[in-house]
Amino acid sequence: RLESLNLASNQIQMISLTNSENLKIINLNQNARNFQYFFDKNILSKIEEFHLRNTSINTVRILDFEIMQNLKQLDMSFNDFYNFGFYFNSTFKPQRLFLRNISTHIKTSKFYFDETDLIEIDLSENKIEFDKLFLEKAINLYKLELTKCGIENLENQNFKISLFKDIYHLNLSFNKINILKENLFKSNKLLTYLDLSYNNLSKLESNLFYITEAKTNTLELLDLSFNLLESFSIEIFGNIFETSITILN
């Protein structure tokens, strides 16, 4: 009744499983280049966690994911995809998706789905172009990791902070952001965790988080450490310190 198989950090080039129908977790991280796997459909349909980090996989096998109706977590970080796209459908609906450092340029328009249970996604260390439709359809997405993505401006054609209005957790650390403009986060009413550490911030304009007179802001943690700020005033943050913030770094 093997339920978890960890073969990480070996030199495996190929693995074939045909009679392990109780498997729920498979970890194949950091194996040989040109790694290949061949699993029986019954195995794929019952996997809940699939870890393929740093295995030199370069394309997404769509048919495999269509079978993975119980998959909750998928990690394919640190691979070099030349054919990138994900098809979310009524059977393939992962909750957590980790795609750190997989491509020089990701367009979220290549995430094809009608609906999804996706709640967390890590796209760090990629160049990303977001489209509004992706965020509108990912209605349950609450945690987004975007560290080391080369982001300089939080409002441009490739990245608009206003699109993330339903995000709870947003990590923008280790980017190149140099200014936060007035009322920048006015649309992010559910934002609880915001990490802006290790950027180039030298100026904070007023009322960054001011939402309404009803004081509906939910921010609890704000990290501005390791930036270039020369001065700091609580008034810059509007009414946020009267509401919920509990940790300020």
Side-chain angles (χ1 to χ4, degrees), residues 119-136:
I119 60 174
E120 177 181 354
I121 187 168
D122 186 349
L123 297 174
S124 298
E125 299 181 53
N126 295 292
K127 183 178 179 181
I128 307 166
E129 182 177 333
F130 284 95
D131 70 314
K132 186 177 181 180
L133 187 60
F134 165 75
L135 291 170
E136 287 178 347

Side-chain angles (χ1 to χ4, degrees), residues 32-149:
R33 296 187 65 84
N34 301 316
F35 174 80
Q36 297 184 62
Y37 63 89
F38 301 94
F39 296 161
D40 184 89
K41 290 182 179 180
N42 289 331
I43 296 176
L44 288 174
S45 66
K46 296 180 180 179
I47 292 176
E48 296 181 2
E49 290 186 22
F50 200 14
H51 302 269
L52 291 167
R53 176 182 290 239
N54 196 12
T55 52
S56 297
I57 292 175
N58 56 24
T59 188
V60 176
R61 285 161 46 172
I62 301 299
L63 291 177
D64 285 354
F65 298 132
E66 290 180 348
I67 297 169
M68 293 182 176
Q69 60 191 27
N70 288 309
L71 190 67
K72 294 181 174 62
Q73 181 170 320
L74 175 64
D75 188 349
M76 301 186 78
S77 300
F78 298 98
N79 288 293
D80 188 14
F81 289 96
Y82 64 80
N83 178 22
F84 177 78
F86 273 95
Y87 293 78
F88 299 89
N89 53 39
S90 59
T91 56
F92 178 62
K93 298 194 295 183
Q95 294 179 347
R96 293 176 171 83
L97 187 60
F98 301 93
L99 300 172
R100 178 184 289 259
N101 194 357
I102 64 164
S103 175
T104 56
H105 193 181
I106 292 179
K107 293 184 178 181
T108 59
S109 58
K110 290 188 176 182
F111 289 74
Y112 305 101
F113 55 84
D114 292 326
E115 59 177 290
T116 177
D117 290 333
L118 189 65
I119 60 174
E120 177 181 354
I121 187 168
D122 186 349
L123 297 174
S124 298
E125 299 181 53
N126 295 292
K127 183 178 179 181
I128 307 166
E129 182 177 333
F130 284 95
D131 70 314
K132 186 177 181 180
L133 187 60
F134 165 75
L135 291 170
E136 287 178 347
K137 289 188 174 182
I139 56 176
N140 296 310
L141 187 64
Y142 81 90
K143 184 174 182 179
L144 183 60
E145 298 281 341
L146 296 173
T147 66
K148 297 183 180 180
C149 289

Side-chain angles (χ1 to χ4, degrees), residues 18 50 191 232:
T18 58
F50 200 14
L191 193 60
F232 179 84

Side-chain angles (χ1 to χ4, degrees), residues 5-8 25-31 49-52:
L5 177 63
N6 189 345
L7 293 171
I25 302 173
I26 300 179
N27 187 344
L28 300 172
N29 290 345
Q30 293 182 303
N31 271 283
E49 290 186 22
F50 200 14
H51 302 269
L52 291 167

